[in-house]
Amino acid sequence: NADNSENYLFAANNGAVSLYYDNAVKLATTSTGVTVTGSLVSSGLNVSATYASDTTEQVRFQDNTGSKLDFFGNADGDKGIQAYADDGSTFYNLNLQPLGGSVGIGTSSPVRQLSLVKSGTNAEISLISDSDRQCSLLMGDGTSGSNVYRGYLQYDNNTDAMLLATSATERMRIDSSGNVNIGSTSNAGFGPLQLGNTSSASTIIQMLGSTSGNNTIHFGDATSGSARYRGYIQYAHGNDSLQFGTVA
């Protein structure tokens, strides 16, 4: 200005260029890029980079404490988002739609809070942990204690068993041999299905049918024809009779 008391633009030969507002630097070029101080308002923002084979390019948002949010990618096609503190080893939670709305992966029209859509092939979610750890899908009604996992589906990589729980307690287990244990965590070795446990007062299997229908247990030695029910126990509700059959 007239009395040389305020800077508008500063340009150094073979060096930095600074753009001022009210005598404060708002945009400055550096040897590695551009530094913007304050808010950036744009009707559209397109950031592009040419990857070197051994480098990762990124867009970084950083606050006055040094905390960062990075959007990054590399020449191998890996892309990611990471939030972390200034020390580089403290990592923050990344919240998507914390105020409401839904998240769609593979779709622009999610039908639930999280929708995964894959056309032309299977839609899959992969959970991977160490060989001595578990992979779990937790369902709860709170954010602390057992309220976090009132119900859960868990795969134990250590024993290769699948667990199903309600009320934060395991109710059914399929072990590595395919045995199904309901009400117990281990199989006594007498067959593929085990019900109840030694602390149960009683174990009951209930079969319901219509007043004119039948409830039947089949014993067979093949998977087709009458070999499926060479022997059977049947209760006929029509005449309230219990029948035993052999050699169908």
Side-chain angles (χ1 to χ4, degrees):
N1 60 0
D3 58 2
N4 295 320
S5 62
E6 187 170 317
N7 294 315
Y8 299 136
L9 176 68
F10 175 83
N13 186 33
N14 295 323
V17 174
S18 299
L19 184 63
Y20 292 76
Y21 175 83
D22 196 17
N23 214 32
V25 176
K26 295 300 181 181
L27 186 147
T29 63
T30 68
S31 60
T32 58
V34 177
T35 300
V36 176
T37 302
S39 300
L40 176 63
V41 179
S42 173
S43 60
L45 180 63
N46 183 10
V47 180
S48 62
T50 301
Y51 298 121
S53 60
D54 58 349
T55 63
T56 297
E57 306 295 341
Q58 63 188 13
V59 176
R60 170 171 294 171
F61 298 90
Q62 181 172 325
D63 64 18
N64 58 2
T65 68
S67 296
K68 305 171 181 66
L69 176 64
D70 286 354
F71 294 77
F72 60 88
N74 59 33
D76 295 327
D78 298 323
K79 304 292 186 293
I81 305 173
Q82 182 65 62
Y84 57 100
D86 188 42
D87 60 13
S89 59
T90 301
F91 300 100
Y92 298 135
N93 296 330
L94 184 64
N95 301 316
L96 299 178
Q97 299 285 48
L99 302 180
S102 300
V103 176
I105 299 177
T107 177
S108 59
S109 303
V111 296
R112 290 294 186 271
Q113 288 87 346
L114 174 62
S115 292
L116 287 79
V117 177
K118 183 67 174 178
S119 300
T121 185
N122 300 326
E124 300 175 340
I125 298 176
S126 177
L127 302 177
I128 299 173
S129 67
D130 294 335
S131 60
D132 59 346
R133 302 290 181 175
Q134 294 79 38
C135 295
S136 304
L137 180 61
L138 307 181
M139 291 154 277
D141 52 20
T143 58
S144 63
S146 63
N147 290 331
V148 175
Y149 53 90
R150 301 305 295 166
Y152 62 81
L153 180 64
Q154 182 181 90
Y155 191 83
D156 187 346
N157 288 321
N158 189 43
T159 60
D160 282 325
M162 182 72 79
L163 286 60
L164 181 67
T166 62
S167 297
T169 302
E170 179 184 334
R171 305 299 185 185
M172 186 177 76
R173 173 182 296 236
I174 304 175
D175 65 23
S176 59
S177 298
N179 297 317
V180 179
N181 307 315
I182 300 176
S184 63
T185 59
S186 61
N187 191 281
F190 291 108
L193 176 62
Q194 177 175 294
L195 304 177
N197 54 62
T198 56
S199 63
S200 299
S202 60
T203 300
I204 300 173
I205 300 175
Q206 184 175 21
M207 302 174 66
L208 299 176
S210 69
T211 56
S212 59
N214 303 321
N215 294 126
T216 309
I217 300 175
H218 288 169
F219 306 90
D221 51 24
T223 58
S224 62
S226 62
R228 295 172 296 168
Y229 48 91
R230 303 298 292 170
Y232 62 85
I233 302 174
Q234 182 178 88
Y235 188 84
H237 292 282
N239 56 18
D240 285 325
S241 64
L242 183 63
Q243 305 166 19
F244 293 83
T246 61
V247 191

